[in-house]
């Protein structure tokens, strides 16, 4: 039986292959404002960071007052085109089934807008596995700040010790969230995180395929 009773999953690069959609929509956002978009690998390196900070990183000259319009433009592209370019990592559904059958509670916590998280989980037909789905709603404090864990997640599971909670995510943002919350973390090395940066954060586990999570769930 697993020591873990609750698993918190990131979405992008952990459950779902989303980089093509994100790169495409950011590229189109830059072009719509008459700017040359960054190279695809530069854009991919920002996955996991919230959109305002993403645009600040990718376009340092952007005016602060322009950021909301850029964000909404990106989201308009993502609403119409994003879902066409999504897929689950192979084995994701089987892992969720195994964890659920093993009696674990499952949560998704993403820095992506919550409406997209809900839409895509439904489109990918895995929304029913999760007890709680959290994303950017304009009010929650995003990862890596741990306040969502302390103010929303932990109160729903008051009997769980921190040692019984595992975060699974692919970027330094996820690893730092877990570290800040005082919980174990499994680095999804198959995702979009920078390898050196993530390894430097000394994750509790590292997996090269989501199927490897089975051993952690069952042990």
């Amino acid at each position: 039986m697993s020591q873990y009773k609750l698993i918190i999953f990131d979405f992008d690069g952990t459950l779902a292959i989303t980089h093509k959609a994100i790169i495409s929509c950011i590229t189109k956002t830059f072009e719509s404002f008459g700017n040359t978009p960054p190279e695809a690998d530069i854009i991919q390196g920002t996955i996991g960071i919230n959109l305002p900070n993403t645009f600040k990183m990718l376009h340092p000259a952007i005016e602060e007052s322009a950021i909301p319009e850029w964000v909404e433009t990106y989201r308009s592209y993502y609403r119409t085109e994003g879902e066409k370019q999504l897929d689950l990592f192979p084995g994701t559904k089987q892992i969720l089934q195994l964890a659920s059958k093993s009696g674990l509670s499952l949560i998704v916590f993403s820095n992506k807008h919550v409406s997209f998280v809900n839409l895509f989980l439904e489109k990918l037909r895995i929304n029913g596995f999760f007890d709680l789905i959290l994303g950017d709603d304009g009010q929650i404090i995003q990862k890596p700040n741990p306040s969502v864990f302390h103010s929303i997640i932990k109160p729903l599971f008051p009997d769980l010790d921190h040692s019984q909670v595992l975060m699974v995510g692919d970027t330094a943002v996820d690893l730092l969230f877990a570290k800040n919350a005082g919980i174990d973390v499994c680095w999804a090395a198959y995702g979009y995180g920078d390898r050196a940066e993530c390894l430097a954060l000394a994750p509790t586990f590292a997996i090269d395929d989501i199927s490897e999570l089975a051993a952690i769930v069952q042990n």
Side-chain angles (χ1 to χ4, degrees):
M1 178 179 288
S2 173
Q3 78 173 72
Y4 301 109
K5 305 300 180 187
L6 171 63
I7 300 182
I8 305 168
F9 286 94
D10 175 50
F11 181 73
D12 294 301
T14 301
L15 295 173
I17 303 168
T18 59
H19 65 287
K20 291 181 181 178
I22 292 169
I23 291 168
S24 173
C25 294
I26 285 181
T27 296
K28 290 184 177 183
T29 300
F30 268 80
E31 291 171 345
S32 74
F33 287 101
N35 288 269
T36 302
E39 295 295 326
D41 60 332
I42 301 297
I43 297 174
Q44 184 166 317
T46 66
I47 294 177
I49 299 169
N50 65 49
L51 281 173
N53 285 331
T54 291
F55 286 123
K56 288 177 187 178
M57 292 175 66
L58 296 177
H59 185 31
I62 192 171
E63 295 285 344
E64 192 76 28
S65 60
I67 291 175
E69 187 178 2
W70 280 60
V71 168
E72 188 48 47
T73 299
Y74 169 87
R75 286 175 175 163
S76 70
Y77 284 124
Y78 208 73
R79 285 186 195 99
T80 56
E81 302 178 26
E83 67 182 72
K84 302 172 187 176
Q85 303 179 66
L86 296 185
D87 203 356
L88 291 175
F89 284 102
T92 295
K93 189 170 290 187
Q94 289 85 344
I95 283 295
L96 297 176
Q97 289 171 335
L98 174 64
S100 184
K101 288 180 181 178
S102 299
L104 279 68
S105 297
L106 307 177
I107 289 175
V108 171
F109 179 28
S110 171
N111 280 350
K112 185 187 293 295
H113 196 279
V114 69
S115 64
F116 290 127
V117 180
N118 279 303
L119 173 64
F120 295 150
L121 290 175
E122 184 176 351
K123 291 283 185 181
L124 295 167
R125 299 183 179 180
I126 57 172
N127 56 312
F129 290 109
F130 299 102
D131 299 273
L132 181 64
I133 297 168
L134 295 166
D136 178 21
D137 62 359
Q139 297 184 25
I140 69 167
I141 301 176
Q142 298 176 324
K143 297 177 289 188
N145 190 296
S147 66
V148 164
F149 177 76
H150 296 300
S151 65
I152 298 177
I153 297 174
K154 192 64 174 69
L156 292 175
F157 302 91
D159 297 330
L160 290 189
D161 186 81
H162 283 201
S163 65
Q164 297 175 303
V165 183
L166 179 69
M167 175 74 201
V168 182
D170 66 312
T171 70
V173 170
D174 301 307
L175 275 59
L176 285 168
F177 168 77
K179 182 177 181 179
N180 293 338
I183 60 176
D184 287 353
V185 63
C186 178
W187 175 43
Y190 55 84
Y192 307 134
D194 178 87
R195 185 170 187 85
E197 185 180 20
C198 290
L199 287 176
L201 292 170
T204 317
F205 307 99
I207 56 175
D208 292 313
D209 190 286
I210 196 169
S211 63
E212 296 172 32
L213 198 58
I216 299 170
V217 168
Q218 293 177 310
N219 185 11

